[in-house]
Amino acid sequence: MEAECLGAALELVSSGGVGLSPEKRAALGASLLLLRRDYRFQRVWFWGRIQGLRGAYYIAEGLGADLAAPRSRLYSLNCVEWNLLPPASGEMVARAEALKGRFQGDPSFEYELTEAKVEDDEKLPEDRQELVIKEEIRLVATIEQIDKAVGIIPRGSFVKTPLGPVHENRNFEGLSLTEAKKLSSYFHLAEPVNLKNKTLLEKADLDPSTDFLDSLEHDIPKGSWAVQLEKGGMVVVLRSLLWLGLTFYHVPMTKQYGYVYFGTGEKNLDLPFML
């Protein structure tokens, strides 16, 4: 969610029992604006909080001119001082997926991960080495996983230019209430996968300037999103059942939308058995 409207946005998602204390809100409101100035970001999003056993990570994302380009991610332990995280790689994500359990809340904490070396196409029990992974690496990999899986935007809010870069659609005035209740009206803010597999006939009705991302209607497992009307039917709220703690909100017929994560950074692997 946008740093400029942090207080109002947190109120719209507070029905889920999550939020920040007035002190934290005030600290974030000031520090995020300084963050945008110091790093020369065009806009800053408050991504959310990952709660550890001994502390919490407050996450922010900085964006440039191209809104589809990789975002810069930063974390803070006190909502005032920020540290830049390294870019997430495929190897980081793969190793982080092998780690189980809660975050500690200490960036320097080290996890030990046993990895088998493959020699002559055979895995031998004795050919194992201990890998040490810092929690800071697990943190950025987890943020990447959550963003890719459940980071979403309303259809039409972003527009892709003929040259490739993605910008905010200044003509976007919000979804109608009818459209806002449909999963097909929301897109994953990540590299599309299902879109590439569509036939030319299926793509014929799509607008390449706005329909360049994957919609939520084909997410697997089916039923991984809960759609609700709140605040007297004035706000549409989507909650992810795959990454518990991810909440998206949109006020129909307005430009107000965003998502925030308040959770432990653990994927709900039991979801297929719960549906």
Side-chain angles (χ1 to χ4, degrees), residues 12 175-178 180-181 228-237 250-253:
L12 295 177
L175 301 171
S176 66
L177 181 58
T178 302
K181 292 186 287 185
Q228 296 175 314
L229 289 176
E230 299 183 357
K231 306 293 183 182
M234 300 300 294
V235 182
V236 178
V237 174
H250 175 48
V251 182
M253 306 304 295

Side-chain angles (χ1 to χ4, degrees), residues 79-96:
C79 298
V80 177
E81 300 173 344
W82 294 89
N83 301 280
L84 187 64
L85 287 166
S89 65
E91 183 182 7
M92 286 182 186
V93 174
R95 290 180 176 177

Side-chain angles (χ1 to χ4, degrees), residues 9 56 63 71 94 114 148 150 191 203 207 216 227 240 247 262 265:
L63 295 85
R71 283 157 271 174
T114 302
K148 186 176 181 179
V150 291
E191 186 70 23
K203 293 180 180 179
D207 185 342
L216 271 60
V227 183
S240 173
T247 305
F262 286 97

Side-chain angles (χ1 to χ4, degrees), residues 114-141:
T114 302
E115 184 179 80
K117 296 185 295 182
V118 180
E119 296 180 4
D120 300 327
D121 296 328
E122 294 182 357
K123 290 184 178 180
L124 302 176
E126 60 269 17
D127 292 334
R128 294 180 179 273
Q129 60 178 345
E130 294 291 334
L131 294 177
V132 176
I133 302 175
K134 285 191 175 183
E135 185 158 276
E136 188 178 62
I137 300 302
R138 183 190 180 188
L139 178 65
V140 70

